Amino acid sequence: MKITKKGFTFATLIISALVIGSVIINFSNPNSWIGTCVELGISNGEPLVIDLIAIKLTFGLTLNVGVAHIVMLIIAIIVYPFIAKNIDS
């Protein structure tokens, strides 16, 4: 699988948007609309534990989705075509 410059740029924009969204959420008031977060996961709070006597397996997946994350992702998707047209494939 070949990684192109445009694909790398898109992945970088998405990761940057999520990081900037997290920074916005951390510095905003938790009671404001921009700082609102919802925790989504397989089992909210406690991971799934399977005890097989010799091995104990723990599975868990939790996503914290906030308004700032969604706003920054939308901005990154809108900005991407303008950045991508200046990149040589």
Side-chain angles (χ1 to χ4, degrees):
M1 185 170 124
K2 183 179 176 185
I3 299 175
T4 63
K5 290 181 185 178
K6 289 184 180 182
F8 181 73
T9 303
F10 184 71
T12 304
L13 271 174
I14 295 298
I15 292 170
S16 299
L18 293 174
V19 169
I20 292 170
S22 295
V23 170
I24 292 171
I25 289 172
N26 285 336
F27 287 116
S28 68
N29 184 2
N31 296 328
S32 68
W33 66 274
I34 198 86
T36 304
C37 283
V38 175
E39 187 174 297
L40 303 172
I42 293 175
S43 58
N44 289 336
E46 296 181 17
L48 174 67
V49 178
I50 300 174
D51 191 1
L52 301 174
I53 299 173
I55 299 173
K56 184 182 276 190
L57 300 172
T58 305
F59 299 100
L61 174 68
T62 303
L63 299 174
N64 289 324
V65 180
V67 175
H69 292 127
I70 295 169
V71 169
M72 293 306 297
L73 282 174
I74 291 170
I75 291 172
I77 291 170
I78 291 171
V79 168
Y80 172 71
F82 298 107
I83 295 173
K85 71 180 177 183
N86 296 324
I87 298 174
D88 299 331
S89 293

